[in-house]
């Protein structure tokens, strides 16, 4: 892609498992297929984008979600889109997925002489309960998902339901638990809970945590998230000290999965003064 927005961590790997090579034709967006998710760095005082994908033509797809109560932050959206255009010279396409009152078409805002306009797609026009039944039948019969199914399951809580969003979210998580493949279950659970939590914030966190508390998938997500956090902390401290890390050290930290080892490294890393000392610690050299 010519630019690295952020390394692929636990969450990014799960998003890529679901979205790589996916098309958005199923919801009316005729765009190149997705290469991978990208996580841009935080710009101070501006809300981070909900989702950003690198597309097959090396442009960026920026996705936000809105409903009648939660409206998009156009100022932050514009700042991030323009920062990518100016810094990397990449085209940015911005789409809002709406699950409130119908608004299909375009939506925008003027900032002085600048008109910022994005495309709006109404997810609320899609019958979520019908989609739920179709996906449930496929999962029960062991049929493979096609790309429309993958897209539908990822955004199912945001479609039209006769129940509240929280109830629909909980129902979708129960459906995911019936998927037989463990990695597939983990990927969909991560994707849906991340999207819902990023969009709604604390209002949905309780629903997610309540459901995940004692499930096999929930325990693994928490465990992997904790280890990823330790790996990132170690990297931040070391890069502050040394600016650049040798590839063998970087890869060893990134691939370390033992929580006890990561904890020992995190406790010791602040006192490391040289790359030689670091190698001795990482590779257990006496």
């Amino acid at each position: 892609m010519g630019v690295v927005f952020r390394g692929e961590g636990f969450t990014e790997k799960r998003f890529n498992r679901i979205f790589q090579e996916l098309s958005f034709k199923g919801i009316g967006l005729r765009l190149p297929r997705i290469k991978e998710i990208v996580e841009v760095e935080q710009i101070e005082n501006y809300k981070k984008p909900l989702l950003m994908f690198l597309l097959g033509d090396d442009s960026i797809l920026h996705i936000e979600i809105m409903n009648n109560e939660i409206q998009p932050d156009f100022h932050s959206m514009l700042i991030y889109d323009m920062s990518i255009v100016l810094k990397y010279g990449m085209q940015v396409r911005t789409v809002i997925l709406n699950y409130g009152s119908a608004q299909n078409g375009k939506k925008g805002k003027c900032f002085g002489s600048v008109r910022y306009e994005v495309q709006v797609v109404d997810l609320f026009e899609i019958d979520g309960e019908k989609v739920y039944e179709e996906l449930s039948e496929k999962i029960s019969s062991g049929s493979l998902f096609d790309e429309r199914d993958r897209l539908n399951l990822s955004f199912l809580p945001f479609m039209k339901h006769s129940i509240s969003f929280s109830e629909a979210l909980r129902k979708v998580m129960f459906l995911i638990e019936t998927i037989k493949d463990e990695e597939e279950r983990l990927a969909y659970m991560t994707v849906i809970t991340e999207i819902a939590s990023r969009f709604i914030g604390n209002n949905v966190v309780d629903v997610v945590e309540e459901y995940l508390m004692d499930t096999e998938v929930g325990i693994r997500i928490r465990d992997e998230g904790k280890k990823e956090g330790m790996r990132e902390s170690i990297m931040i401290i070391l890069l502050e000290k040394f600016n650049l890390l040798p590839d063998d050290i970087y890869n060893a930290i990134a691939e370390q999965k033992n929580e006890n080892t990561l904890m020992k490294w995190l406790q010791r890393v602040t006192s490391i003064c040289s790359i030689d000392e670091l190698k001795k610690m990482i590779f257990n050299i006496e």
Side-chain angles (χ1 to χ4, degrees), residues 19 21-34 61 63 95 97 104 119-128 131 134 146-156 159:
F19 283 103
E21 295 303 317
L22 197 65
S23 160
F24 281 93
K25 283 191 300 183
I27 57 173
L29 292 174
R30 299 197 172 277
L31 300 171
R33 292 180 181 276
I34 293 171
L61 173 62
I63 293 180
V95 174
L97 304 179
N104 250 331
Q119 185 173 355
V120 179
V121 175
D122 285 330
L123 290 183
F124 199 69
E125 291 183 348
I126 303 173
D127 186 340
V131 171
E134 291 171 351
D146 58 26
E147 71 172 15
R148 178 67 182 269
D149 297 328
R150 290 161 60 195
L151 189 64
N152 279 343
L153 184 51
S154 299
F155 294 105
L156 182 53
M159 296 177 184

Side-chain angles (χ1 to χ4, degrees), residues 7-37:
E8 188 184 50
F10 173 80
T11 300
E12 289 76 27
K13 285 179 182 177
R14 272 66 208 176
F15 268 88
N16 285 335
R17 182 183 177 97
I18 301 304
F19 283 103
Q20 272 179 338
E21 295 303 317
L22 197 65
S23 160
F24 281 93
K25 283 191 300 183
I27 57 173
L29 292 174
R30 299 197 172 277
L31 300 171
R33 292 180 181 276
I34 293 171
K35 281 187 179 180
E36 61 182 337
I37 192 170

Side-chain angles (χ1 to χ4, degrees), residues 7 16 24 26 67 72 77 90-91 104 170 185 194 201 206 208 212 222 241 246 255:
N16 285 335
F24 281 93
N67 60 18
M77 290 162 60
M90 302 173 78
Q91 179 187 0
N104 250 331
R170 189 179 287 108
R185 284 201 311 275
E194 273 291 314
D206 290 344
V208 173
L212 291 178
R222 290 199 304 273
K241 282 175 174 281
E255 294 167 10

